[in-house]
Amino acid sequence: MVATVTVISVEVTPSPESVPSLLHPVTGVPRSARRLVVLGDSTAVGLGDPLPHRGGWRGVGPLVAEALGVDPDGYLNPSFTGARMSCVLAKQLPAAVAHRPDVALVVAGMNDTLRPDFDAGKIAADLTEVIRSLAAVGTTVVPVRYHDHGKVFRLPPSLRRALSERVAELNAAIAGVVEREGVPCLDLELLPGAYDLAAWSVDRLHPSELGHRMLATGFTARLAEAGFAVPRPVSLTCSGGVEPSTAGHVGWLVLKGVPWVWRRGREFVPYAAVIMWHAFRERLR
């Protein structure tokens, strides 16, 4: 996917008028994307959208590549699970710049919200450097702003409130960068169906195949507004992936899901405790 703080999302995706047009200056024909890079964390890797015969993950990247008409040798995805925005900058950006893509998608930041050293200012600085480095080689960069994940991944009220506040800080940081750099942005809060359970895998942390297809439609819509051709629009009809079995669901939860929640919970709970304490003091006043 009870006292809560709901993330209020403001549409920051630049309008088509505010994004520099990539249409051909003479013919007015949309520009073709020949090279695509996907940067970020496990969602960028494609978790939640498994391929048949243990073929790994598909996810949003290949779906966008197909929609744009990008050939396999023009597609690059150096993302990895657990990546933070600093990882995108230090470990993924060099390969991305060397690839000289026409388009780069950036899906990162949520892992930062669960860490004790969360720093919205540093995230903004890292994202700015990523965008500027890629813009210098002619790349249009599309980052994302996030939904309120507490509406999808069920948490105790105090933890949900703490996570919502962190996501709000993250979104504000990303919004500031988007405005200053004048780049397109996909706002997941405004993505139709973002909170439908069918859009999420069993772990409620990663999109399902349908969710990845929804992400791909959102990205291609932003790119079309920015002047790119989308010759093969993404279908929301699931095909080509694998519907995980019940046994697979249970196995993932036992081997991956529960340990992940335990690791991140130990880091995040102290911050949640501070939120609870401040809320308690406010009620006493």
Side-chain angles (χ1 to χ4, degrees):
M1 342 131 359
V2 179
T4 61
V5 175
T6 302
V7 176
I8 300 175
S9 178
V10 178
E11 172 64 88
V12 297
T13 303
S15 65
E17 293 78 13
S18 63
V19 177
S21 176
L22 298 174
L23 298 177
H24 190 283
V26 177
T27 66
V29 175
R31 174 187 176 187
S32 295
R34 300 302 182 192
R35 291 179 175 272
L36 169 68
V37 166
V38 179
L39 305 172
D41 54 26
S42 53
T43 295
V45 170
L47 263 67
D49 184 18
L51 290 170
H53 313 298
R54 298 184 178 181
W57 307 101
R58 177 177 51 181
V60 63
L63 294 170
V64 172
E66 182 179 0
L68 296 177
V70 174
D71 293 332
D73 61 356
Y75 176 65
L76 178 69
N77 189 338
S79 62
F80 53 86
T81 60
R84 303 173 66 177
M85 194 67 78
S86 60
C87 300
V88 173
L89 175 61
K91 300 181 179 181
Q92 300 178 21
L93 180 64
V97 170
H99 191 64
R100 302 182 72 87
D102 299 297
V103 172
L105 312 180
V106 181
V107 186
M110 280 301 295
N111 284 317
D112 291 271
T113 64
L114 299 171
R115 299 301 181 88
D117 61 347
F118 173 80
D119 184 339
K122 185 177 186 306
I123 292 171
D126 289 347
L127 177 58
T128 298
E129 188 167 347
V130 168
I131 291 172
R132 290 179 178 178
S133 297
L134 285 165
V137 295
T139 306
T140 297
V141 183
V142 189
V144 299
R145 292 179 73 249
Y146 289 91
H147 56 292
D148 182 359
H149 205 78
K151 294 181 180 179
V152 179
F153 190 77
R154 299 302 178 185
L155 294 168
S158 58
L159 289 178
R160 178 179 172 182
R161 180 179 179 183
L163 179 59
S164 294
E165 292 196 4
R166 277 276 174 88
V167 173
E169 289 185 63
L170 172 65
N171 280 340
I174 294 172
V177 175
V178 167
E179 182 177 3
R180 287 191 298 273
E181 302 303 313
V183 297
C185 180
L186 176 58
D187 192 333
L188 301 186
E189 177 76 16
L190 302 179
L191 190 67
Y195 293 109
D196 293 347
L197 291 184
W200 296 93
S201 64
V202 63
D203 61 14
R204 298 292 182 260
L205 297 171
H206 302 101
S208 62
E209 178 184 343
L210 175 60
H212 278 285
R213 287 180 175 276
M214 291 164 57
L215 282 175
T217 60
F219 275 124
T220 53
R222 300 288 81 77
L223 290 168
E225 291 171 356
F228 280 98
V230 184
R232 293 190 285 273
V234 180
S235 171
L236 293 181
T237 300
C238 293
S239 64
V242 176
E243 181 66 29
S245 65
T246 300
H249 286 178
V250 174
W252 191 96
L253 287 171
V254 171
L255 297 176
K256 300 290 186 179
V258 172
W260 184 90
V261 171
W262 172 248
R263 289 194 304 272
R264 291 295 170 261
R266 286 188 302 173
E267 297 176 332
F268 189 65
V269 165
Y271 170 72
V274 172
I275 295 293
M276 293 170 62
W277 170 245
H278 286 312
F280 176 72
R281 290 182 62 185
E282 288 295 324
R283 286 197 298 269
L284 293 179
R285 291 180 180 177

